[in-house]
Each structure stands twice: as structure tokens, then as C-alpha cells.
Amino acid sequence: MNETSLITIKNCRVQDLHGTKIESLSWCMHAGEAWLVIGPNGGGKADFLRALAGEKQIVPNDGTGTYETQFSNSVEIVSLEKAASLIQEERDLDESEYMDKIDEGRTGRRFICEVLGGPDAKHRNLPLPPIAERLEMLPEVKLCGVEKILERGLKFMSTGEIRRTLLCRALLSGKKLLILSDPFAGLDAQSRTILLEFFATIVGKQKNLSESGTSAPSIILGMERYHEIPETITHVLEFTEGKISFSGAKSDYEKLIAERKAEKAKSREKEKTEFVNELKEISRLDSGSRAHCPEEILIKMNNVNVGWGDKRVLVDFNWEVKKGEHWLIRGPNGSGKTTLLELITGDNHQVFCNDVWLFGKKRGTGETIWDIKKQLGIVSYRWHVEYRMVGSTDLESVIISGFKDSIGLYEQKTDMEIAVAKKWLKLGGFEGREHDSFSSLSYGEQRAVLILRAAVKSPKILILDEPCHGLDENYRQKILDLLETVAETGTTTLLHVTHDPSEALPCEKHVLELKPNESPMYQIINSEI
């Protein structure tokens, strides 16, 4: 490795215990370069980043192969998968059943302090190091905007808050290389702006280390799609079908994607027409299982108040959703979007001390959670975490489990269910993969399959909490087109949470905007003509 090379990979492969993931790999990163790693879901990008982080092996193919890095044992990766593992770890450590109260678990302060000399997760009751008292003063904490959630348990944080906490911990870890995999997913506009500025600052320091005398970690950015790319990115590495499909300057890559976009636009209308025809065929096969929805008002909330401790999430909240009204729900991280959805799904028990009506019945008047969920389709980050626990389930069974409202499948499949599942998998781009295991898919592919699972029974309400997390551009557009088509059928009403304005669907004429610390804490906008 010459003195300017940070990472040199020549004629190597990436492998793990399950076999080879990338057969041939050659790439070099030099000082002063800022790399973006990108590519379609399942194309090899995630395997490459995990290999750099030491979670998979980079092995020379023969005597000419070499792998040299200046970052040995000093790499930290921040990803959706890492956040999912954190949520699972908190559940495994939960001791609520042995206490006379809910186990709050690790707070943001304690979690961050684990990389600052504090005790690990298994010793979370031990005292914190002195630095814990002044975390709020650290620039990394301010940069990630986590000062106000340091005392909150990880399990009570929103998806975006968990992501920011993970990023803050990574910045304080002292590692020489930080791999940020899709770091903007789930973050509100203000947080995205802060991260873009941070990225520019760190890359600027790296380029001028010799002049400034300062130290800063090197950063590799991984993205599912070419969107909100920091100006300071200089080079792009793209993976497709387990191979490098582009490696070079950002300016050259932008020319390439412009050509691809123009070509894709020509075929999109044809694909949308095929979507509609496929969905009609699915409706014909599944006509017997489709539930009739006579209620005009699907959801009604009257003066709802929700919170814990001193934190008020929803205050005097009033909202009504009618059949066929598709809603876009937005607001900053921690504003209560997920809490609102959990009142509908029954995952927040404060629904029983409020005046909440679903499908014409008041919650708490005898209906079971299954009575509610059989009328809902749900896609969310936490639901994704739950499904990763049964990752050996094949894709056909994942789709069919949507009929049963179960995580995994524990009943015999019918011929009709198998036929419908294959149709939905084809619609989502998974034709011929019905017997692949859920765990063998990339994070983005898993999310796409869970969206298909949620829509399979044509639910009265389809709840979409950041549904496009982890999706590459092709899957993202395919799923958004699919959701628009589902909405046009008239049988399913959408409730869609997203921070990305480009993901708002044309059918979403009603907007609920949550505004924390304001009075009232929400605003309803009706753009229907």
C-alpha cells in the first residue's frame, strides 16, 4: 500500500459462513477521496460495506490477490440493520416482568457512554463515567440533536431518534473509519440538513489534515438511491448482481444515471399498465377473501391525550378518517407519528383510556386485538424488526402470513393462497423466488416483501410507516406505483408516514401535520378538489 492509499483491494472475494457473496473485487481508496457506495437491493453493496466493517471476510483469490487497510479493528458501521439489532437487544434485556413497573432499559445517555468508558449493556446498572454528566456539551451530541432525548429509554425513541443516537455514538467511538449506510432514512428535514453539513465538515477536515493538524474519521457513505448526496462526495462505487458495475468520479456517474433515468421513463407507463392488469387478476383470484367495508368513518379520535412521564405526545387531538380518504402524515422526529399509528394498531395501551373509535366501534368495548388487526395491513420499522426473528420463513409463506395476521406461517397453505402469493411476488419483482428465505434478502428487499404482505388481503386500512426505508430507486418507484394502484381500487384506505416529500402519492389529498410544542399540536390540510 502506498502512503496515500487508505484501502487497497486487488483480486479478492467477499465471503461469510454461508459462502461467497462477491466473487471478484478490486478497489482502492486514497486519502482525500470521499466515496459513495450505491447499488440495487441485493446487488452486493451491503455485503461489501459489512466486509469493510469486519462482519464478513475479504479474501485474496490467488497469489496475486491483496487486501490492505489502515483501518484494521477501527471501523464502525451505522445502518438500519444495526438499529434493528439494537431494538432486539433491548427486548432481550427487558426485565419488566420482574419489576413492579415498566423496565425503561438503557437510556440514550447510558448507550452513548458505552463507547466512552461506561459499562456495557449486560452491566447497565453500574455507575456511568464522569463524562456522562457533560454529554450535552459535546459537539457530536449537539450535531446529532440528541440533547433532549438522553434520558429517554431506547425502546421509547422514534425510529429517527434511534438512528441519530446510533450516529452520535459512532462519532464518539474514536474509530478511524465510519460507514454510514443510508443515514438519512427516517430523519426529518432539519436532521438531514445537519448531517449534510456534518459530512461536509468531516470530509473537509480529511482533505486538509496536513494543514490543519486536526484529526477526523474517514467516512464512507452507503445509499440505496442517488438522492440528497453530499456535495463533498468525489467518487462513486456501484454494485449490481454481485459485481462492481461502476467505479469512478461522481461527475461521470451522474452522466450515467441521467441516461438510465431517461430510458426508465420510457418503460414506466407500460409497467404501470401491467401493474393494474396484474392487480385485477389478483382480485379475481382473491375475491372470496376480500372483506366488505360498509363503514363510512373508519377512524375517529376525540380529544385524545397520550404521553409518558412529563412528555406529552398528543394533546387534545381530534381526527377522523373516512373510507377512501388517503392521508399523508408528517412531522419532525419524535412528534408522535408512530404513537398515533400504534393507537390504531392497538400497540399502545393508552388507547383504552381515550375516546378512540375504529370501524364503528369504540376501543375497549370487547373487541380483541385480532378483531382490529384482521382489518389492517401494517408496514413499519418495528414490524420489520419482529419479522426478522423468523427469517428462515420462505417468501411465499411471508406473503400468505398476511392473510393470517401472523409473524411467520403456522397453518397449512391453500391452493388459492399459494396462487395469490405468487402473483403478488411477481408484482413486486420476486417472480421465481418464492422459496428464498426472508433472511437471505437484503434489508431493502425484505421491506419490499413486507409491503406486499401487508397489501395481500386488501385491508380496510393500509398503515405505511416510512415504507420506503432501505429501498433502492427501482424498488422504491415500483412500490410507490403499486401503492397508488392499490389506492385506486377503492377497497383500501392509506395512512402514509414519510419524511421524504418525493414519496407523497397523488392520491393522498389529506395531510395530517404534527407540530410538537405548539398549540394545537397538529394541523389538518385538505387539498382535495
Side-chain angles (χ1 to χ4, degrees):
M1 179 183 298
N2 63 51
E3 60 183 7
T4 63
S5 295
L6 301 179
I7 302 174
T8 297
I9 303 173
K10 180 181 179 182
N11 190 21
C12 291
R13 65 182 181 275
V14 172
Q15 66 182 33
D16 60 16
L17 294 176
H18 302 289
T20 299
K21 302 301 180 181
I22 301 175
E23 293 183 355
S24 181
L25 181 64
S26 294
W27 175 71
C28 188
M29 175 180 175
H30 296 90
E33 295 176 346
W35 281 84
L36 166 70
V37 183
I38 199 167
N41 295 133
K45 172 182 65 68
D47 291 319
F48 172 71
L49 294 178
R50 292 181 66 185
L52 291 182
E55 297 176 10
K56 295 180 184 290
Q57 290 182 304
I58 299 178
V59 182
N61 277 324
D62 54 37
T64 65
T66 59
Y67 171 45
E68 299 178 3
T69 175
Q70 292 188 10
F71 305 116
S72 298
N73 302 316
S74 191
V75 183
E76 184 75 13
I77 186 168
V78 178
S79 63
L80 292 164
E81 289 88 343
K82 185 79 75 173
S85 297
L86 175 61
I87 294 296
Q88 185 56 49
E89 185 177 35
E90 281 301 289
R91 293 183 176 185
D92 293 341
L93 294 171
D94 191 291
E95 297 181 347
S96 296
E97 58 182 301
Y98 307 114
M99 305 168 66
D100 58 357
K101 60 179 182 179
I102 294 177
D103 181 7
E104 186 181 57
R106 285 176 292 174
T107 62
R109 187 183 302 275
R110 182 169 288 277
F111 177 64
I112 290 171
C113 281
E114 288 177 7
V115 298
L116 298 173
D120 61 20
K122 293 183 179 179
H123 301 88
R124 57 195 177 123
N125 295 318
L126 293 178
L128 292 174
I131 196 173
E133 298 180 3
R134 53 187 179 86
L135 278 189
E136 290 87 343
M137 305 303 296
L138 299 181
E140 294 86 354
V141 172
K142 293 180 178 180
L143 178 62
C144 297
V146 297
E147 306 103 304
K148 296 181 180 180
I149 59 174
L150 290 174
E151 301 307 325
R152 191 179 305 169
L154 296 173
K155 67 181 70 174
F156 299 114
M157 292 183 182
S158 70
T159 303
E161 289 169 337
I162 290 173
R163 298 293 308 284
R164 284 187 283 139
T165 301
L166 271 168
L167 179 60
C168 181
R169 174 175 146 133
L171 296 179
L172 289 168
S173 68
K175 298 296 179 64
K176 295 180 181 179
L177 174 63
L178 301 184
I179 298 175
L180 309 183
S181 181
D182 211 16
F184 304 107
L187 298 185
D188 54 35
Q190 181 180 9
S191 297
R192 291 180 185 212
T193 299
I194 289 172
L195 278 185
L196 286 168
E197 292 175 350
F198 162 78
F199 192 88
T201 300
I202 295 296
V203 172
K205 285 184 178 182
Q206 279 293 322
K207 289 182 177 179
N208 298 287
L209 273 179
S210 59
E211 299 177 9
S212 66
T214 60
S215 62
S218 294
I219 293 181
I220 292 178
L221 182 63
M223 297 285 280
E224 300 297 344
R225 58 194 183 95
Y226 202 83
H227 175 66
E228 283 191 317
I229 304 303
E231 290 292 329
T232 42
I233 286 290
T234 60
H235 291 75
V236 178
L237 180 66
E238 180 190 73
F239 284 89
T240 305
E241 297 181 350
K243 299 178 181 178
I244 292 178
S245 48
F246 179 89
S247 180
K250 180 176 73 169
S251 57
D252 291 335
Y253 186 71
E254 288 178 339
K255 294 177 183 177
L256 176 62
I257 60 175
E259 295 171 1
R260 291 175 179 173
K261 187 174 181 179
E263 191 65 29
K264 182 68 176 177
K266 297 177 183 178
S267 61
R268 187 179 172 201
E269 286 304 315
K270 179 182 177 182
E271 289 181 357
K272 289 180 72 174
T273 300
E274 292 174 352
F275 263 21
V276 173
N277 293 336
E278 288 284 355
L279 203 56
K280 288 179 179 178
E281 175 63 14
I282 291 172
S283 299
R284 184 188 65 79
L285 288 172
D286 189 30
S287 58
S289 66
R290 191 182 308 281
H292 179 55
C293 182
E295 300 93 353
E296 180 68 13
I297 299 177
L298 303 179
I299 302 171
K300 189 173 182 62
M301 298 187 182
N302 301 309
N303 296 317
V304 168
N305 289 273
V306 177
W308 52 83
D310 296 329
K311 180 176 177 58
R312 312 309 301 165
V313 181
L314 296 175
V315 177
D316 298 331
F317 178 75
N318 293 280
W319 188 40
E320 184 176 279
V321 175
K322 296 180 180 179
K323 178 184 176 183
E325 289 183 349
H326 305 296
W327 285 79
L328 175 66
I329 303 173
R330 64 193 186 197
N333 295 138
S335 60
K337 301 183 297 298
T338 298
T339 297
L340 174 63
L341 298 182
E342 288 177 346
L343 290 177
I344 300 170
T345 63
D347 294 316
N348 189 312
H349 289 173
Q350 294 188 49
V351 67
F352 298 114
C353 57
N354 279 287
D355 189 11
V356 177
W357 294 70
L358 296 180
F359 313 115
K361 295 183 179 180
K362 188 176 186 300
R363 288 304 316 271
T365 56
E367 81 290 351
T368 69
I369 189 67
W370 299 111
D371 292 331
I372 298 298
K373 289 196 172 182
K374 70 183 181 182
Q375 303 178 82
L376 302 174
I378 305 170
V379 178
S380 70
Y381 175 73
R382 294 182 184 274
W383 190 256
H384 194 155
V385 171
E386 295 279 358
Y387 226 101
R388 285 164 65 93
M389 297 173 65
V390 290
S392 61
T393 306
D394 67 28
L395 302 191
E396 183 178 274
S397 298
V398 171
I399 300 298
I400 293 175
S401 73
F403 289 115
K404 317 294 184 182
D405 300 304
S406 61
I407 298 175
L409 186 63
Y410 309 98
E411 301 178 22
Q412 191 71 29
K413 306 172 186 177
T414 67
D415 291 340
M416 182 277 291
E417 289 171 343
I418 292 173
V420 171
K422 288 182 177 180
K423 285 286 185 181
W424 277 98
L425 287 170
K426 179 181 178 182
L427 201 61
F430 295 92
E431 185 176 16
R433 301 179 64 184
E434 59 267 23
H435 297 304
D436 287 5
S437 68
F438 186 73
S439 60
S440 71
L441 272 57
S442 70
Y443 188 94
E445 288 176 312
Q446 289 178 356
R447 178 56 63 95
V449 169
L450 290 180
I451 292 173
L452 301 176
R453 176 198 175 278
V456 69
K457 62 181 178 181
S458 298
K460 295 179 182 178
I461 295 177
L462 183 54
I463 294 176
L464 305 160
D465 190 357
E466 296 284 3
C468 293
H469 264 187
L471 297 185
D472 63 43
E473 187 59 44
N474 287 335
Y475 270 120
R476 174 180 172 272
Q477 194 58 64
K478 184 184 290 289
I479 289 300
L480 291 175
D481 286 345
L482 174 60
L483 293 174
E484 182 72 19
T485 304
V486 168
E488 291 172 357
T489 64
T491 60
T492 297
T493 298
L494 307 184
L495 303 182
H496 181 194
V497 172
T498 180
H499 285 293
D500 190 340
S502 70
E503 293 175 3
L505 299 170
C507 65
E508 293 164 352
K509 307 296 185 182
H510 304 267
V511 178
L512 171 62
E513 185 159 3
L514 298 179
K515 299 183 173 184
N517 304 317
E518 295 188 22
S519 182
M521 295 178 71
Y522 65 97
Q523 179 183 6
I524 292 176
I525 304 168
N526 185 353
S527 60
E528 192 165 29
I529 299 176

